[in-house]
């Protein structure tokens, strides 16, 4: 028997231990079900604790000479781990534009950068409204704000939107919100308290569409009260999707298999890590080798569909451009996936004040 040895560098202790465990569980399911060509007859997964020192964990993993390495959950941990090696690393837990090919040429990005969700909102609005012209972004100061501003403004040019961006520091959300100009689309990203403060000041205004990053969960939306109807928010994946795939099971089957094996439903982190395994397997079958150079070349040329949607890396940047972050909308107390179009569970209610009467008679299939 010949085992394909795979290293998973991820936090197993500390504040992100829950996410690390989800990664382990996702990769364990993949290892159980994956089929590889000879000479491999099984897959062995070894986890290395990225807490508190992800770079040391990566060095330990590399020293064991695994066939492949899956990187950790968390932006800082992933950046530190990837910087500690010249091996190919599958980025399964830190969807950020920092992992561009020019800086990290050996990183394979599994999911779209999280900072691209505002551009998905603009794409959604433009799909039903040709008259909307102005959008405003209210973003907490930090790396996300820098990435989201660049990504959204680039998309806005092609979509015909004029974008104004405002950033705020701790405790400054109310002041920043009061200074926002009038626009058709409002997009807010910050921590829950800041977003609620901004919502109290902004949702009285007649935005055609309004999106808040923390409104995705039932708990998050509840803090907005009656104002939650019509709000948009970024999802992460569609666990009940039965959309066809070309690599691996669909999301519905994965959710069922994961739940049966581990006794708990999968999180987005588990799904991302499972898909990292699927892409690794596809690259090995495509190239006939588990060598880093062969796997990297295969990944760069791969165009396939997994339970996350399309997988395709940008030829220039190496960022994931096939996968699209789902957008959900709250309608009459239920969240519905409304974008991308092929994963939509309900019609997008636009303008947002139509949400209370949208999609009558449909059986709720809420985003989880």
């Amino acid at each position: 028997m010949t085992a394909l040895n795979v290293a998973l560098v991820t936090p197993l202790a500390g504040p992100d231990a829950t996410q690390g465990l989800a990664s382990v569980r996702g990769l364990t399911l993949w290892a159980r079900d994956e089929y590889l060509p000879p000479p491999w007859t099984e897959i062995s997964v070894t986890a290395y604790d990225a807490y508190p020192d992800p770079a040391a964990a990566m060095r330990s993993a590399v020293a064991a000479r695994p066939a492949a390495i899956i990187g950790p959950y968390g932006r800082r941990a992933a950046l530190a781990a990837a910087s500690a090696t010249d091996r190919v690393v599958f980025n399964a837990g830190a969807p950020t534009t920092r992992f561009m090919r020019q800086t990290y040429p050996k990183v394979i990005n599994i999911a779209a950068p999280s900072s691209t969700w505002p551009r998905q909102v603009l794409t959604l609005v433009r799909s039903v409204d040709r008259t909307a012209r102005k959008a405003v972004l209210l973003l907490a100061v930090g790396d996300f704000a820098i990435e989201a501003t660049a990504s959204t403004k680039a998309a806005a040019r092609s979509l015909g939107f004029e974008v104004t961006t405002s950033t705020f520091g701790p405790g400054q959300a109310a002041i920043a919100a009061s200074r926002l100009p009038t626009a058709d689309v409002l997009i807010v990203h910050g921590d829950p308290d800041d977003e609620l403060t901004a919502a109290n000041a902004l949702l009285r205004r007649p935005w055609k569409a309004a999106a808040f990053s923390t409104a995705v969960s039932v708990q998050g939306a509840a803090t907005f009260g009656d104002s939650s109807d019509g709000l948009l928010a970024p999802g992460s994946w569609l666990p009940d999707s039965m959309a066809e795939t070309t690599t691996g099971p669909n999301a519905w089957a994965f959710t069922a298999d994961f739940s049966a094996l581990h006794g708990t439903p999968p999180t987005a982190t588990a799904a991302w890590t499972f898909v990292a395994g699927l892409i690794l397997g596809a690259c090995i079958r495509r190239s006939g080798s588990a060598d880093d150079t062969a796997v990297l070349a295969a990944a760069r040329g791969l165009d396939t569909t997994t339970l996350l949607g399309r997988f395709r890396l940008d030829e220039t940047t190496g960022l994931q451009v096939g996968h699209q972050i789902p957008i959900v909308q709250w309608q009459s107390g239920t969240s519905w996936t409304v974008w991308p179009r092929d994963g939509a569970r309900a019609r997008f209610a636009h303008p947002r004040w139509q949400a209370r009467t949208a999609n009558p008679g449909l059986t709720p299939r809420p985003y989880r």
Side-chain angles (χ1 to χ4, degrees), residues 5-7 46 48 57-69 87:
N5 295 314
V6 178
T46 303
Y48 296 82
M58 177 60 78
R59 288 191 289 269
S60 295
V62 170
R65 304 182 66 180
I69 301 173
R87 290 286 308 272

Side-chain angles (χ1 to χ4, degrees), residues 7-225:
L8 172 62
V9 178
T10 199
L12 302 176
D16 292 327
T18 299
Q19 301 290 352
L21 177 59
S23 295
V24 172
R25 287 172 169 170
L27 202 60
T28 299
L29 177 60
W30 165 75
R32 187 197 71 176
D33 294 346
E34 180 64 274
Y35 170 77
L36 295 176
W40 299 285
T41 56
E42 63 179 355
I43 299 171
S44 174
V45 174
T46 303
Y48 296 82
D49 190 0
Y51 181 83
D53 190 340
M58 177 60 78
R59 288 191 289 269
S60 295
V62 170
R65 304 182 66 180
I69 301 173
I70 313 293
Y73 172 84
R75 177 194 182 98
R76 290 183 180 178
L79 287 167
S83 298
T85 182
D86 60 359
R87 290 286 308 272
V88 167
V89 176
F90 286 79
N91 173 24
T96 168
T97 58
R98 289 288 298 277
F99 284 117
M100 295 181 69
R101 183 172 298 168
Q102 289 79 357
T103 308
Y104 293 91
K106 293 187 177 181
V107 168
I108 298 172
N109 293 294
I110 297 301
S114 57
S115 59
T116 59
W117 80 263
R119 68 188 297 170
Q120 297 298 330
V121 171
L122 295 187
T123 303
L124 169 62
V125 171
R126 179 60 74 228
S127 72
V128 300
D129 187 344
R130 306 307 299 178
T131 65
R133 286 291 176 264
K134 295 184 178 182
V136 294
L137 273 63
L138 181 61
L139 310 171
V141 169
D143 290 338
F144 180 92
I146 297 171
E147 292 185 21
T149 298
S151 172
T152 307
K153 287 192 172 183
R157 285 191 291 270
S158 63
L159 291 169
F161 279 98
E162 176 187 333
V163 175
T164 300
T165 301
S166 177
T167 57
F168 61 89
Q172 299 299 309
I175 295 174
S178 69
R179 296 172 178 170
L180 288 185
T182 300
D184 301 296
V185 182
L186 168 69
I187 299 173
V188 182
H189 189 104
D191 66 32
D193 289 341
D194 283 333
E195 289 200 7
L196 181 58
T197 297
N200 288 335
L202 293 170
L203 290 181
R204 300 183 183 93
R205 295 166 63 176
W207 316 95
K208 284 186 173 182
F212 288 74
S213 69
T214 61
V216 64
S217 68
V218 173
Q219 296 83 356
T223 63
F224 292 88

